[in-house]
Amino acid sequence: MRMAFRFVLPLLALLGVMAWGAAPFVGDLIERWFRADVEMRAQLVFHSIQDSVTGLVESKADRKITQLFKRITQDERVLALGVCTPDGQLTHQSAAWPKQYGCPTVPATGKPFAVEHLESGSILSATFPLAGAEGADLGRLVILHDLRFIERRSSSAEIYLAICLAILGLGVAIVTVLVARLTLRGWVRAVRQGMSAPDQNGKVLPPEVGPLIREMRKMLRDLDVPRSLTEAIRIEWSPDSLRGLLRDELPGAEVLVVSNREPYIHNREGDQIVLQRPASGLVTALEPIMRACGGTWIAHGSGSADPVTVDRNDHLAVPPEAPAYTLRRLWLSDAEQDGYYYGFANEGMWPLCHIVFVRPTFRASDWAQYVAVNRKFADAVIAEAKTPNPVVLVQDYHFALLPRMVRERLPEATIITFWHIPWPNPEVFSICPWREEILAGLLGSSILGFHTQFHCLNFLDSVDRFLECQIDREHSTVRASTTTTLVRPYPISIEWPPRALAGQPPIEECRDRVRRAHGLSPSVRLAVGVERFDYTKGIADRFRAMESLLDSHPGWIGRVTLLQVAAPTRSRLSAYKDTQTEAETVAREINARFGTEDWVPILLVSRHHEPDEVFTLFRAADLCLVSSLHDGMNLVAKEFVAARDDEDGVLVLSTFAGASRELQEALIVNPYDIGAMGKAIHQALSMPADQRRDRMRLMREMVGENNIYFWAARMLLDAARMRKRRHIERRIAVVSQGKATGAKTGERRW
C-alpha cells in the first residue's frame, strides 16, 4: 500500500498540475475553434439572405424583414439580426437585439467580425454591407451571435480534460504497479535463487540482477573467509582474549550451556555436604570457558545434596571460591533417568557411535523419555534466555533433539552443538530406528561441531542418506527446511595453563608422594592410566599389553608398574559392570603370574580422583597409556602433556582417539594389537631423555596454542560470522519482501 501511495499520489499530483496549467491554453484553443465556426456560420447566413434582405430594404417592407429575422433567429446560436443605415442608425432589429447595444462600429482591420463584451455576456457581431441596384449603399446587415455557449463549452472541456487526465493517471498507475509487481517478483526470485546456490553448469545470471548477486556473494564470501592459522597462533588465547572476542564480535551476547553432567556436584556424606568435581572431559573443557564468559549452565542436578544448595529458582553461583557464572539445575525423575540417560543415550547412542562391539539397545519407551527430557531442557533454555538471540552451546549426544526444539521457539538464537563422541558411518547409523528424527534435531543447530573431519564426513554422508536436504560439501553446510547448519571439526582441548597445575609440587616431590602412597620402590618405572570404567577405553587391553611387555622383555619384571586409576561409572548398566569386572579379573591374573612379594605389575585403584590428584599422578609418571578403542578426542592425553612442565615423559596413544590427529609426537598404537602396544611401552621406557624432551616440547606447544579458549574462539568466530551473514541476508530479504509486498498490496488496492 505504501508503495502504491508513493507512486500513484505523486503521479496524480503531477497530472493535476499539468491539467491546471494546460486549462487556459485548452480554453483559448476551444474558443478560437468555436469562434471560427461562428464566423463561418455568420457568413453563410449573410450569403443566404443577402438578396432577400436587400430587396426588402429597397421596398421598405418592414413587416417582412421582421418575419425574416424572426425565422432566422430560431437558431439558438444566432442571437439577433439588425439593419443599420449608412450613417450608423439601427432601423430594423429582431426581438432579442440587446437594448443597450446599437449599431457596431466597422472594425479598423476591415474584417466584418468583432467581439463585444456586454453585461449579459460576450457576443460576436458580423457586419456585412448591403448594396442595392446600380451599387447604391443601403447600409449594413448585422448578425449577432451569443458567445456564452463557447464559454460554457470551454469550461466543460476543461473539466473533461481533468477527468480524462485523472483516468489516464489511474490507468497508468495500475498498469505500472502490475508491471512493477511482476518485474519485482521475478527480480526477487532471481536474487533469492542466485543467493541460495552458486552458478551451476555455466548458467548465466539474469543481466538485470547479475551484478547485484555477484556483489552480494562477494560480501558474504568475505564474511566466510576463515582467519588464517598464523593469525590465530599470534593470539595468546586466554580467558581475557576470549572475553574480548565476545565483546568485539558478539557484543551483548547471552551465553547458555546445556549439558547432562553438571560441573559441580553436592553429595551428602553423613551429616556433611561434600563438593565434587566430576571426572568428565566435557566438564574439563567447558568449565574454563564459562569462567571466562559468564552466563548460565543448564544441567541435570544429580547430587544427593543438590536440591538443598540451590535457590528457589534452582540457581547456584559457581565456582564456589569465585562465582563467575550461574548453574541452573534441572531435576529428573528415576523413570526419566532410566529411559533418557541409561537407556537411549548410553545403551543406544553410546555403543552405536563408538563401534566397540557392544550391541546398541533401542526401546520405544526409552525414546519417549529421551524426547521428553530433551523437551524439558529446551523449556529450561527458553525460560533462562533473557534475549531473543542468545548463544546456546548444546553438549553431546544426550541432546540430539534439543537444537530443533529451541530453534522453533527462538528462531534468532545462535545454536552451537558439539558432539563429543565419534559419529559412525551411515551403515552403522542406520541401525537407529529414529535416525531421521536425530538428524533433523541436530540440523536445528547453527553450527554442529565434531572432533575430526572424518566424523564430519560421516555425518554429512548420514544426512545425505536419510534426509531430503541440500548439502554443500565444499563449504560443509547442510540446508534443511529454512535452517542452514555449518558442519566443521573443532578439536576440543583443555585450558592453558591448567588450574590444577598451579598448586602442584615439583616433579621429584610428586614422584615421592605417589610412590609412598602406593608402596612403590624409587627404582620402579611408573606408567599411569586415568579413565572411567568404560568399555570404550580399552582398560583390559592395556593390561594385556603390559603382560605382553613382560613376556617379550622379562627384564622389566620388577622394574615397571602400571598404576590404573578408574572411576566407576554407569554401574547400573551391565556392560559397564562387566567392563569393571573384566579389568579387575585381568589385573589379578597378571599380578598373580608376574607379581612378587614387594612388587606387582598392575595397581588398579577404583575410585574417583580430583583434578589435582590426577595431575600429581601425571607428573610422577614416566609414561601415560591411552588405549581407547574408539574415542572422540580423549583429553587425558592432553592433560598428561599439560602436566609435564619439565618436558619429560612419554605418551602412548591409541590411533582411534581423536587426540592422535594432533599429538603426533606420541607413540601412536593400535590398541587391538596387544603385541604392538607392548612394544610401544618398551620403546617408551627405553627412549633417550633428549628424544623424550623433543617430543614433549612439540606436544606442549600444540596443546598450548590449540587450548580450550582457541577451541571456543573458533566456534564463536564462526558464530559471529554467521550472525553478520544472517544480518545481511535479513536486510536483503526485508528490502526484497518490502518491494514485493508493496507491489502486491498496490495491485490489490487498485
Side-chain angles (χ1 to χ4, degrees):
M1 179 63 72
R2 284 185 296 176
M3 178 183 175
F5 278 119
R6 281 199 302 249
F7 179 77
V8 174
L9 291 182
L11 177 63
L12 292 179
L14 176 62
L15 292 175
V17 171
M18 291 174 60
W20 177 78
F25 298 99
V26 173
D28 182 67
L29 178 63
I30 292 174
E31 182 179 353
R32 285 189 283 111
W33 283 349
F34 279 103
R35 179 176 168 181
D37 180 65
V38 170
E39 290 175 353
M40 183 181 67
R41 293 179 64 84
Q43 287 179 334
L44 289 175
V45 171
F46 171 71
H47 290 306
S48 299
I49 64 173
Q50 178 182 6
D51 293 339
S52 300
V53 172
T54 301
L56 293 174
V57 170
E58 286 180 333
S59 61
K60 298 182 180 180
D62 296 341
R63 188 172 61 83
K64 290 183 178 181
I65 291 174
T66 302
Q67 290 176 348
L68 176 62
F69 285 178
K70 181 179 179 181
R71 186 168 61 251
I72 294 173
T73 55
Q74 289 179 353
D75 186 340
E76 62 179 2
R77 285 169 292 184
V78 178
L79 177 62
L81 284 85
V83 177
C84 294
T85 63
D87 57 359
Q89 297 297 319
L90 183 65
T91 57
H92 300 87
Q93 73 271 358
S94 62
W97 188 274
K99 294 181 179 179
Q100 71 275 23
Y101 188 67
C103 285
T105 304
V106 178
T109 59
K111 292 184 178 180
F113 306 105
V115 176
E116 303 287 349
H117 299 285
L118 306 178
E119 292 182 0
S120 58
S122 299
I123 61 173
L124 177 70
S125 66
T127 304
F128 301 100
L130 295 174
E134 298 179 358
D137 185 8
L138 300 179
R140 290 168 290 159
L141 175 64
V142 180
I143 304 175
L144 300 181
H145 280 80
D146 188 354
L147 296 183
R148 287 177 296 177
F149 83 95
I150 296 178
E151 296 174 355
R152 291 192 299 270
R153 292 187 180 182
S154 178
S155 299
S156 299
E158 292 176 5
I159 295 174
Y160 293 151
L161 173 64
I163 293 174
C164 289
L165 287 176
I167 294 174
L168 176 63
L170 291 177
V172 170
I174 291 172
V175 172
T176 304
V177 169
L178 288 175
V179 172
R181 180 177 182 276
L182 295 175
T183 303
L184 284 173
R185 185 165 60 183
W187 183 86
V188 171
R189 185 187 302 114
V191 170
R192 287 176 176 171
Q193 290 175 350
M195 293 302 298
S196 63
D199 298 343
Q200 296 177 351
N201 301 324
K203 183 178 179 181
V204 180
L205 293 171
E208 63 273 15
V209 298
L212 175 62
I213 291 176
R214 282 188 283 270
E215 184 65 24
M216 289 191 294
R217 283 180 182 166
K218 182 179 181 301
M219 293 171 58
L220 295 175
R221 280 197 302 271
D222 290 343
L223 286 175
D224 276 339
V225 174
R227 300 186 178 184
S228 67
L229 182 59
T230 55
E231 178 186 356
I233 290 176
R234 283 197 297 270
I235 299 175
E236 184 179 349
W237 287 104
S238 64
D240 290 338
S241 57
L242 190 60
R243 279 190 288 267
L245 168 66
L246 279 172
R247 181 184 64 251
D248 298 337
E249 299 293 336
L250 292 165
E254 176 187 13
V255 178
L256 300 173
V257 169
V258 183
S259 71
N260 176 74
R261 194 179 297 272
E262 57 183 331
Y264 297 93
I265 302 174
H266 290 90
N267 283 316
R268 290 189 182 276
E269 291 185 4
D271 295 333
Q272 306 241 341
I273 294 178
V274 179
L275 177 66
Q276 177 183 335
R277 293 173 174 84
S280 166
L282 183 150
V283 170
T284 300
L286 286 177
E287 216 268 333
I289 296 173
M290 293 302 289
R291 286 174 180 255
C293 301
T296 302
W297 186 327
I298 303 170
H300 169 217
S302 58
S304 57
D306 279 353
V308 300
T309 56
V310 296
D311 62 17
R312 62 181 180 180
N313 296 317
D314 298 325
H315 288 169
L316 176 68
V318 290
E321 65 276 10
Y325 64 95
T326 300
L327 172 60
R328 160 70 190 279
R329 284 170 170 161
L330 212 63
W331 316 112
L332 300 180
S333 66
D334 290 342
E336 287 173 326
Q337 290 188 68
D338 289 343
Y340 141 78
Y341 181 74
Y342 292 105
F344 186 80
N346 288 301
E347 287 189 286
M349 293 301 295
W350 181 269
L352 177 72
C353 292
H354 280 89
I355 320 175
V356 287
F357 314 112
V358 172
R359 175 172 175 163
T361 301
F362 294 105
R363 308 178 188 91
S365 58
D366 292 344
W367 171 252
Q369 292 289 3
Y370 186 82
V371 174
V373 172
N374 270 249
R375 179 68 65 185
K376 177 179 286 191
F377 273 84
D379 292 341
V381 171
I382 304 304
E384 294 294 330
K386 301 177 179 62
T387 59
N389 57 344
V391 176
V392 184
L393 304 175
V394 182
Q395 304 302 312
D396 226 349
Y397 61 101
H398 306 94
F399 302 110
L401 306 180
L402 186 139
R404 177 62 61 188
M405 294 175 175
V406 173
R407 174 72 61 206
E408 290 170 352
R409 298 168 67 183
L410 288 176
E412 297 301 314
T414 300
I415 303 174
I416 304 174
T417 301
F418 192 78
W419 195 263
H420 289 259
I421 63 176
W423 187 274
N425 60 49
E427 287 74 16
V428 173
F429 185 67
S430 66
I431 295 172
C432 180
W434 300 281
R435 57 200 179 207
E436 289 85 0
E437 290 88 340
I438 290 172
L439 293 173
L442 289 172
L443 290 178
S445 309
S446 309
I447 297 174
L448 177 58
F450 295 93
H451 290 298
T452 67
Q453 180 65 21
F454 181 68
H455 297 152
C456 293
L457 296 176
N458 278 348
F459 178 81
L460 293 176
D461 289 341
S462 299
V463 171
D464 194 19
R465 176 78 64 89
F466 300 115
L467 291 185
E468 290 290 336
C469 57
Q470 296 176 344
I471 300 177
D472 184 344
R473 292 184 181 271
E474 180 181 359
H475 297 94
S476 196
T477 60
V478 180
R479 183 170 181 81
S481 183
T482 59
T483 304
T484 298
T485 303
L486 178 66
V487 181
R488 282 191 179 169
Y490 302 98
I492 201 167
S493 192
I494 60 174
E495 65 176 326
W496 188 273
R499 280 180 295 109
L501 187 61
Q504 290 293 324
I507 294 291
E508 290 302 325
E509 186 176 341
C510 290
R511 288 175 177 167
D512 291 342
R513 285 186 183 182
V514 171
R515 281 169 168 74
R516 285 198 306 269
H518 297 283
L520 297 175
S521 168
S523 61
V524 172
R525 306 289 294 276
L526 179 62
V528 297
V530 178
E531 247 76 42
R532 292 176 291 115
F533 272 121
D534 191 310
Y535 52 78
T536 67
K537 303 303 181 181
I539 297 175
D541 298 272
R542 80 183 58 162
F543 290 172
R544 294 189 177 99
M546 284 293 295
E547 182 180 27
S548 175
L549 169 71
L550 300 178
D551 273 334
S552 57
H553 299 87
W556 289 110
I557 295 175
R559 296 177 52 210
V560 61
T561 293
L562 169 59
L563 174 57
Q564 176 65 55
V565 171
T569 182
R570 303 165 190 166
S571 54
R572 294 172 56 180
L573 302 179
S574 59
Y576 293 87
K577 288 189 293 185
D578 293 344
T579 297
Q580 183 171 352
T581 300
E582 180 190 14
E584 292 169 346
T585 301
V586 173
R588 282 196 304 268
E589 292 174 352
I590 296 173
N591 288 339
R593 180 182 174 192
F594 294 101
T596 64
E597 291 183 1
D598 57 355
W599 171 84
V600 290
I602 297 174
L603 283 173
L604 180 57
V605 181
S606 302
R607 71 171 179 85
H608 169 76
H609 282 60
E610 291 294 328
D612 56 341
E613 296 179 275
V614 172
F615 268 69
T616 299
L617 289 176
F618 286 153
R619 291 169 65 78
D622 295 287
L623 70 150
C624 176
L625 293 178
V626 177
S627 57
S628 303
L629 303 179
H630 202 177
D631 222 334
M633 176 54 64
N634 194 294
L635 295 180
V636 168
K638 294 187 176 183
E639 288 177 332
F640 173 72
V641 170
R644 301 312 299 253
D645 54 2
D646 63 335
E647 296 184 349
D648 201 356
V650 181
L651 174 63
V652 179
L653 179 59
S654 167
T655 187
F656 300 117
S660 66
R661 272 64 170 178
E662 298 178 280
L663 303 177
Q664 296 183 16
E665 291 74 29
L667 298 181
I668 309 299
V669 298
N670 176 0
Y672 292 95
D673 189 341
I674 302 300
M677 190 155 49
K679 291 178 182 178
I681 297 173
H682 173 70
Q683 181 184 354
L685 294 171
S686 307
M687 187 177 295
D690 58 345
Q691 186 180 149
R692 295 198 305 267
R693 291 190 182 92
D694 289 342
R695 288 173 178 264
M696 183 59 69
R697 186 178 299 114
L698 290 173
M699 289 191 291
R700 284 177 60 80
E701 288 177 358
M702 193 286 306
V703 176
E705 291 169 358
N706 297 347
N707 58 35
I708 189 62
Y709 306 110
F710 176 54
W711 173 78
R714 287 183 59 203
M715 291 192 294
L716 293 175
L717 281 172
D718 284 341
R721 281 192 287 268
M722 291 188 75
R723 283 198 173 200
K724 294 175 184 177
R725 180 188 183 102
R726 189 168 58 197
H727 179 66
I728 292 175
E729 291 175 338
R730 189 184 301 117
R731 290 177 63 184
I732 294 171
V734 167
V735 172
S736 301
Q737 187 66 30
K739 292 180 178 178
T741 304
K744 185 175 181 180
T745 307
E747 181 187 51
R748 290 199 304 267
R749 169 67 179 86
W750 300 112

